[in-house]
Amino acid sequence: GLIYREQKELDKANETLMRSLNIKERIGDQFGIASTLGNLGSVAYSRCKHEESLDYYQRALQIFERIQNQWAIGVCHYLLGRTYHLLDDFTRADEHLQQGLTIFESIKNNEEIVRCKAMLAKNESALYFEWSAHGHLIDCLDILQKYPMLSHRHQVVVTACYIAPGKTDPEQVARWLGWLNQQPDIDQDTQLLMDDLQQTLSPQQV
């Protein structure tokens, strides 16, 4: 199912995961059931079936809470927060993202802390909590300086740039974009955002 999802064959991914869910339910594999529900939620999210994805994530969260898997609980809260943000329910998004962040900080998972803080910054910017959003981004950048190979580093810096115009020194945006331009593995979506942000800077700042 995960391979099909990576290949964007979402119908096949959904079918395979549903078969996997039936098997795991028959044998009573609680962790497997919850993981598969989470993956079904991510497939639904990719198919723009966001209400359906919320249901899957919530069901997964309930099981992970029952078996007390802290990392997985945090991930479910992050995924719920991300989905509520997409649906413009920024208050509920903030609640779940804050819960996820608290868990990731308690288990000292820097990768997930960065991912969660980046999403929190984006969400709080939508709520017009600019100072709080800026604080999360500064925390992210501090972590990235210590752990430069974290896989979400591009997402964090692009998020920083994206919410920064009008709220942060344009020279800071230019520095972040300059850093990104030096990275060898920028994906297409990130590059499009960078190109868009480049237009917000004056010729002197580029």
Side-chain angles (χ1 to χ4, degrees):
L2 296 179
I3 295 173
Y4 283 129
R5 193 182 82 189
E6 291 297 321
Q7 295 173 344
K8 308 299 183 186
E9 296 187 52
L10 300 178
D11 288 338
K12 287 184 179 179
N14 193 70
E15 291 171 9
T16 304
L17 288 167
M18 287 301 297
R19 287 197 296 271
S20 177
L21 180 62
N22 289 334
I23 293 169
K24 289 177 171 61
E25 286 177 335
R26 282 203 302 272
I27 64 177
D29 178 1
Q30 293 301 299
F31 180 84
I33 292 169
S35 297
T36 305
L37 287 169
N39 288 326
L40 280 164
S42 294
V43 170
Y45 182 92
S46 297
R47 298 167 87 187
C48 298
K49 296 184 176 182
H50 299 120
E51 297 293 344
E52 185 178 315
S53 71
L54 288 173
D55 179 64
Y56 281 127
Y57 292 148
Q58 194 64 54
R59 288 164 64 189
L61 175 62
Q62 290 172 354
I63 296 173
F64 283 132
E65 286 178 334
R66 193 160 63 242
I67 63 177
Q68 298 183 357
N69 186 312
Q70 292 301 300
W71 173 80
I73 293 169
V75 169
C76 285
H77 279 301
Y78 168 81
L79 293 171
L80 283 162
R82 181 187 66 171
T83 307
Y84 278 121
H85 174 85
L86 192 67
L87 294 171
D88 292 340
D89 190 340
F90 303 125
T91 300
R92 266 199 279 195
D94 194 69
E95 291 171 359
H96 282 289
L97 291 168
Q98 293 285 2
Q99 289 182 72
L101 178 61
T102 297
I103 290 170
F104 295 138
E105 288 178 334
S106 72
I107 62 176
K108 297 180 171 59
N109 188 317
N110 285 307
E111 181 83 5
E112 298 295 352
I113 289 170
V114 165
R115 182 164 72 144
C116 211
K117 277 183 172 287
M119 192 68 231
L120 264 169
K122 188 174 181 181
N123 191 67
E124 290 180 356
S125 179
L127 286 166
Y128 300 100
F129 297 162
E130 286 90 353
W131 286 109
S132 180
H134 184 73
H136 287 309
L137 291 168
I138 295 301
D139 289 345
C140 287
L141 294 169
D142 285 345
I143 293 171
L144 288 169
Q145 287 178 343
K146 296 175 185 174
Y147 307 97
M149 295 311 295
L150 292 183
S151 63
H152 297 295
R153 63 194 183 282
H154 297 158
Q155 175 194 353
V156 171
V157 178
V158 168
T159 302
C161 294
Y162 194 70
I163 73 168
K167 302 164 190 168
T168 305
D169 184 353
E171 292 183 4
Q172 179 69 63
V173 179
R175 284 196 293 274
W176 285 333
L177 282 172
W179 181 86
L180 280 167
N181 281 320
Q182 296 172 11
Q183 305 308 305
D185 52 348
I186 298 294
D187 60 71
Q188 185 178 11
D189 289 341
T190 301
Q191 187 63 57
L192 289 171
L193 268 178
M194 289 167 60
D195 293 343
D196 184 44
L197 287 161
Q198 202 79 30
Q199 304 304 312
T200 69
L201 302 176
S202 69
Q204 292 78 19
Q205 293 165 338
V206 174

